[in-house]
Amino acid sequence: TSDIVIVEDEAAVVQSVRALLLTMEFERPFQPGLGSILQKLVFEPQDEVTKLLLAQTIKETIQLYEPRATLSFVDIYVEDQSLMVDIAFFVLNRPDLVVSTVALYRLR
């Protein structure tokens, strides 16, 4: 019935990376380690230490759970009371650099 849109190539990896980063640890049944602690770090002070911890968490999460992506760099900056994360990576067997932006907001 064409209800589901099939995502392929770079878009599939971008979607997977975004889902991994926005999923909290212990959120998925039977996969307690899958995910990251980014949502917890959003409520920490927005200083250089937190940004380094965020970048390290992103790198570890992508390296552990997304074998199709080879991370190039992570850039974190503050914009309108939210943390903006630019993630650049190469997709397996593709020559182009893919840059994805994830916005992390403080919500109660």
Side-chain angles (χ1 to χ4, degrees), residues 66-83:
E66 188 49 74
R68 298 175 292 178
T70 304
L71 191 64
S72 180
F73 69 86
V74 175
D75 185 30
I76 301 169
Y77 55 94
V78 179
E79 183 178 292
D80 297 329
Q81 299 297 324
S82 63
L83 288 171

Side-chain angles (χ1 to χ4, degrees), residues 55-72:
Q56 184 64 32
T57 301
I58 290 167
K59 290 175 187 176
E60 289 174 0
T61 302
I62 292 174
Q63 288 173 351
L64 281 174
Y65 299 112
E66 188 49 74
R68 298 175 292 178
T70 304
L71 191 64
S72 180

